[in-house]
Amino acid sequence: MAMEPLASTPAPPYYAVIFSSLRTADDAEDQAVMAEQMATLAAGQAGLLGVETPRYAQGVGIAVFCWDSMESIWRWGRHAEHRIAQQGGRYRWYECFRLRVCRVEEDRAFGRGDGAGV
Amino acid sequence: MAMEPLASTPAPPYYAVIFSSLRTADDAEDQAVMAEQMATLAAGQAGLLGVETPRYAQGVGIAVFCWDSMESIWRWGRHAEHRIAQQGGRYRWYECFRLRVCRVEEDRAFGRGDGAGV
């Protein structure tokens, strides 16, 4: 699956995990490498529809992972390499983080100058 | 409502709008001012539960707005000042953007070293 800046997700309904985090001051480079590895690893999992993982100027960041089902989210949560990254996330890289699991009801894409109403 | 780095949202269900965008090269300062104004304005609207609007190192960004209902989202979409900002968004500030409207089913917060399983 191509890693695009904005994920070309299908028509809803589908599911999204919003991962919001506040980084610690330490290990910024390690954290960036890990985040990149996890996005690449997630992109290879069954049921992954798209990933958006911007780079941040400061400590707060948001990444969005779109999935076809709650089952796929559950399976990714228990993936072995992802479990190891979760430990790093909990003890080293983040002061705090929040995971929101959502059912996506609407998904609209706009290009520059598109006339459609938001 | 306090503007925290990570929004202290209530127990689900509630609704979230994920705004993903790819900025144009121009008007970065104008865009940042507008984004800040819109986050502040949204925070004063009925039904807004929390906002997360990180600053980005590069052109791709994600902001999350949490609301109590679809009706509140609809009302905010039609707010007069927000409508003006939408025009700037469509013609000047973004190459493209995506709006995903979601029903949040799970919301879990973690502090550093928390033992709970993800």
Side-chain angles (χ1 to χ4, degrees):
Chain A
M1 202 194 63
M3 299 285 281
E4 301 167 309
L6 303 189
S8 293
T9 34
Y14 60 85
Y15 294 83
V17 178
I18 307 171
F19 177 70
S20 306
S21 60
L22 178 61
R23 282 202 301 256
T24 53
D26 323 322
D27 299 320
E29 191 50 41
D30 276 7
Q31 186 277 335
V33 169
M34 177 280 301
E36 186 105 4
Q37 284 175 343
M38 284 305 111
T40 304
L41 187 62
Q45 302 305 301
L48 198 282
L49 302 175
V51 177
E52 293 172 358
T53 57
R55 290 280 192 142
Y56 297 88
Q58 294 173 7
V60 178
I62 302 174
V64 175
F65 298 79
C66 298
W67 298 91
D68 63 348
S69 67
M70 290 292 282
E71 189 186 355
S72 294
I73 292 172
W74 187 89
R75 198 183 306 119
W76 170 238
R78 278 146 194 81
H79 185 288
E81 288 177 65
H82 186 201
R83 293 299 290 249
I84 293 168
Q86 288 169 19
Q87 294 302 314
R90 209 165 290 155
Y91 293 97
R92 287 178 55 199
W93 294 314
Y94 305 116
E95 286 297 344
C96 54
F97 60 94
R98 247 179 137 100
L99 281 168
R100 296 186 178 95
V101 180
C102 315
R103 182 183 145 102
V104 180
E105 309 283 357
E106 298 176 26
D107 181 350
R108 282 177 287 176
F110 299 85
R112 198 170 190 179
D114 279 359
V118 172
Chain B
M1 202 192 66
M3 299 287 280
E4 300 166 309
L6 302 190
S8 294
T9 34
Y14 59 85
Y15 294 84
V17 177
I18 308 171
F19 177 69
S20 305
S21 60
L22 178 61
R23 281 201 303 257
T24 53
D26 323 322
D27 299 320
E29 191 49 43
D30 276 5
Q31 187 277 334
V33 169
M34 177 280 300
E36 187 104 2
Q37 284 175 344
M38 285 305 110
T40 304
L41 187 63
Q45 303 304 302
L48 197 282
L49 302 175
V51 177
E52 293 171 357
T53 56
R55 290 280 191 144
Y56 296 89
Q58 296 172 5
V60 177
I62 302 174
V64 175
F65 298 80
C66 298
W67 298 90
D68 63 349
S69 66
M70 289 292 281
E71 190 187 353
S72 295
I73 293 172
W74 186 89
R75 199 183 307 121
W76 170 237
R78 278 147 195 80
H79 186 287
E81 287 177 65
H82 186 203
R83 292 301 289 251
I84 294 168
Q86 288 169 19
Q87 293 303 314
R90 208 166 287 154
Y91 292 98
R92 287 177 55 200
W93 294 313
Y94 304 116
E95 286 298 342
C96 54
F97 60 94
R98 248 178 138 102
L99 282 167
R100 295 186 177 94
V101 180
C102 314
R103 182 184 147 101
V104 180
E105 308 282 357
E106 298 177 26
D107 180 350
R108 282 177 287 177
F110 300 85
R112 198 171 190 178
D114 281 357
V118 173

